[in-house]
Amino acid sequence: MHVTSTVEVEEMKEESKKGVSEGNSSSEEVPESVKACFRIANDYVKEQVGAIVNDFYLGEHVNLAMIEVTLFDHGQLKKRNEHTTFVRALKDWGILSSEVDVAKAASGMSSKLRSPFPTEGYKQWNKNYLNERNLCTNIGNRLPVSMKYNRNE
């Protein structure tokens, strides 16, 4: 009986060590592209961004551009209009398929956000950008309260 409980204790210790080391390694394994793009690069943000991309991307680069704008306006991205970095980060994080062509996606996003596209937060866009504003609003509404809109310009 004593041997069994000692074995069980040792097994629990091993399981605990695995959990700790896996926990540490996952945070250490955040790709550099993700760190360069996102203000906070953790599993929670990855989960939220993954859900947004899954729900709204639909294989359309213009939708990816609106996702980027919304995430920036909600304080999740370091910069807006860093399309290549954004797409690379999503691919490296496993959110976008490895099949996605980074340069092509970034170019499509750039075409959408080319001037005269508004640079202020999406809630300030005029009726000429009603469809885009509505899409960004829907994306923003899908984000948790902890990722609230914070553009004041």
Side-chain angles (χ1 to χ4, degrees), residues 52 56 66 69-70 73-74 122-125 129-143 149:
I52 294 290
F56 294 98
M66 296 299 96
V69 166
T70 304
D73 288 356
H74 284 256
Y122 68 82
K123 290 186 178 184
Q124 274 64 55
W125 297 349
Y129 297 95
L130 183 62
N131 291 338
E132 292 87 348
R133 186 177 69 207
N134 287 340
L135 178 56
C136 288
T137 299
N138 289 337
I139 294 167
N141 288 340
R142 174 67 178 72
L143 289 168
Y149 181 88

Side-chain angles (χ1 to χ4, degrees), residues 68-138:
E68 180 188 45
V69 166
T70 304
L71 288 172
F72 180 78
D73 288 356
H74 284 256
Q76 300 308 301
L77 302 179
K78 292 180 180 180
K79 294 182 179 177
R80 179 178 161 178
N81 296 335
E82 293 284 328
H83 313 308
T84 302
T85 304
F86 180 65
V87 175
R88 168 66 50 212
L90 294 179
K91 279 186 72 169
D92 290 350
W93 228 352
I95 292 172
L96 281 180
S97 163
S98 60
E99 305 293 312
V100 172
D101 182 318
V102 174
K104 191 173 178 181
S107 175
M109 293 168 70
S110 180
S111 293
K112 178 63 181 174
L113 298 179
R114 192 166 285 124
S115 188
F117 201 87
T119 56
E120 68 270 9
Y122 68 82
K123 290 186 178 184
Q124 274 64 55
W125 297 349
N126 66 33
K127 65 180 189 233
N128 295 332
Y129 297 95
L130 183 62
N131 291 338
E132 292 87 348
R133 186 177 69 207
N134 287 340
L135 178 56
C136 288
T137 299
N138 289 337

